[in-house]
Amino acid sequence: MKSSIQDVAQLAHVSISTVSRSFTRPDLVSKATRDKVMKAADELNFSISRSAAALKTGRALRIAVLISGRLNLWFSSSIMEGLNESFHDEGYDISIYRMSSAEERRAFFDMLPVRRNVDAVIVISFDIDSNEIRQLRSVDVPIIGINSSLPEERGFNAAVRIDDKQGSELAARHLITLGHRDIAYIRTDREVTLHFSVQGRFDSFMTCCKSNGVEPRVFVTDEGKNNISKVVTQLLSSDHMPTAIACQEDGIAIPLLFQLERNGFTIPNDISIIGYDDSTYARDLGLTTIRQTPVEMAHEAARMTLALIDKQPLDEPFKTFPAQLIVRSTTARLRH
């Protein structure tokens, strides 16, 4: 049978309120009494309910995380890993709201004032408009962005982001410095407002190339099961193959590398490939890529979130993490 708070109080020879304070306000209980309560709780395998802790603090002990796209993507899963590591230790749960369309996003914000059951909202990699910001303000919870669009101008309380402009420029300049002029860029067909970060990468890459007299060919694929096969078909059906391919993310670059080699191309002798992320298998496969650190970004976003919940000021509420070019074996100087 499950032990109750009364059972712990009886075994520790203290009042029920002392047991409650030992869990929710340990600073108000002497160490000797607290140790006695914890020893009794351990023996009875007891833990105070989250509802009691929430009632005591006046908080929901829950963070809403709005995320677009699939949760099994490297970036998304890495962000969730970092957030969970930070929030779990502080007693907070994470409620994930996956935004597959602009309609789902609007429905979330329309219902949020009715729910009022979160202590903060974290928005990952997509844009929200001023009306949605006002809806959040009506609930009086902080909003924190991770790779979000114009967070300071939009009225976010805090944000962290990778410098996608810098990262894309590093990728473009690397290929141009190697002598490549016939460059292709492969991207997915995503709704811009739901995937702001990857749109920023594309825009910066194209701008950097054009300023250097290079006009990349753009190949667009969907996010279905055979999306890489489709883009390979597009490449093979074109008048000629590019000498270098830049990919929106490693999740495109890695399977593309395998499929091109299966079709008889040698990487990088025939085609150079560069990704973006430095994800799980990039090092093992020798993929040249742009490194970002989503777990570290998530830790920082969580730290900011907890400080804002506690009404603490932030020294640097809008923080940018630098991108880093990681040169490996999938890119090489153009052979004339």
Side-chain angles (χ1 to χ4, degrees):
M1 186 174 68
K2 187 176 181 180
S3 298
S4 67
I5 192 170
Q6 290 87 350
D7 296 327
V8 176
Q10 184 177 358
L11 182 59
H13 301 292
V14 298
S15 67
I16 292 172
S17 60
T18 298
V19 174
S20 177
R21 279 196 297 273
S22 296
F23 279 89
T24 60
R25 293 294 304 276
D27 54 305
L28 299 181
V29 182
S30 69
K31 184 180 186 306
T33 301
R34 191 168 66 249
D35 289 345
K36 188 165 55 173
V37 169
M38 294 305 170
K39 183 175 183 294
D42 286 342
E43 289 181 16
L44 295 172
N45 195 27
F46 169 83
S47 62
I48 197 164
S49 69
R50 287 183 54 80
S51 58
L55 184 63
K56 190 77 175 179
T57 61
R59 296 174 182 169
L61 298 180
R62 182 178 298 109
I63 308 295
V65 176
L66 278 58
I67 190 166
S68 57
R70 302 195 310 273
L71 295 177
N72 63 349
L73 296 176
W74 174 80
F75 181 82
S76 300
S77 60
S78 298
I79 287 289
M80 296 312 303
E81 176 188 341
L83 292 177
N84 185 63
E85 286 174 353
S86 297
F87 288 132
H88 181 269
D89 290 343
E90 298 295 329
Y92 283 84
D93 283 339
I94 296 173
S95 292
I96 301 173
Y97 297 87
R98 183 166 173 253
M99 303 290 146
S100 300
S101 66
E103 289 72 25
E104 286 185 3
R105 192 188 74 189
R106 283 192 289 270
F108 170 85
F109 284 98
D110 287 343
M111 287 298 296
L112 187 61
V114 178
R115 291 173 177 148
R116 295 180 182 270
N117 63 346
V118 297
D119 296 311
V121 175
I122 296 177
V123 179
I124 302 176
S125 291
F126 65 92
D127 193 12
I128 62 176
D129 60 34
S130 56
N131 180 57
E132 291 162 341
I133 290 287
R134 283 195 296 271
Q135 288 171 302
L136 280 173
R137 290 280 184 258
S138 72
V139 187
D140 192 28
V141 298
I143 175 170
I144 298 90
I146 299 179
N147 277 4
S148 296
S149 170
L150 303 173
E152 195 165 2
E153 293 86 338
R154 293 282 195 270
F156 284 50
N157 297 95
V160 297
R161 70 179 184 94
I162 179 71
D163 193 335
D164 277 312
K165 181 176 185 296
Q166 176 207 23
S168 294
E169 288 176 353
L170 287 172
R173 287 172 182 158
H174 175 64
L175 296 179
I176 292 169
T177 299
L178 292 175
H180 296 283
R181 293 295 180 272
D182 190 355
I183 299 172
Y185 189 96
I186 300 178
R187 60 179 304 190
T188 53
D189 182 16
R190 296 175 173 175
E191 189 172 351
V192 171
T193 56
L194 291 178
H195 293 269
F196 166 77
S197 184
V198 293
Q199 178 67 27
R201 293 179 195 176
F202 170 73
D203 293 341
S204 297
F205 185 90
M206 297 297 288
T207 298
C208 184
C209 284
K210 289 176 182 178
S211 68
N212 285 276
V214 176
E215 187 77 34
R217 288 183 278 161
V218 180
F219 294 84
V220 180
T221 185
D222 57 32
E223 294 187 289
K225 280 187 175 180
N226 299 314
N227 63 328
I228 304 304
S229 296
K230 292 175 183 176
V231 83
V232 169
T233 299
Q234 291 180 52
L235 285 164
L236 295 176
S237 301
S238 60
D239 292 339
H240 59 280
M241 292 293 285
T243 64
I245 300 174
C247 297
Q248 169 185 286
E249 57 204 35
D250 290 357
I252 294 174
I254 290 172
L256 177 68
L257 187 155
F258 285 123
Q259 292 211 25
L260 287 174
E261 288 184 336
R262 232 179 261 140
N263 279 276
F265 294 94
T266 302
I267 311 298
N269 292 340
D270 296 325
I271 304 172
S272 286
I273 295 179
I274 187 169
Y276 199 116
D277 280 337
D278 199 23
S279 59
T280 306
Y281 300 109
R283 176 179 293 180
D284 294 337
L285 295 172
L287 178 67
T288 294
T289 187
I290 303 299
R291 175 177 291 166
Q292 61 174 329
T293 54
V295 173
E296 183 182 344
M297 289 170 59
H299 287 163
E300 179 63 14
R303 184 194 67 78
M304 291 176 168
T305 302
L306 294 169
L308 289 167
I309 291 172
D310 288 336
K311 310 295 185 184
Q312 297 175 4
L314 298 175
D315 294 333
E316 188 182 0
F318 300 95
K319 184 171 182 178
T320 299
F321 285 73
Q324 182 182 0
L325 173 65
I326 306 297
V327 179
R328 298 194 180 105
S329 62
T330 60
T331 53
R333 186 167 294 280
L334 178 64
R335 297 182 179 183
H336 296 283

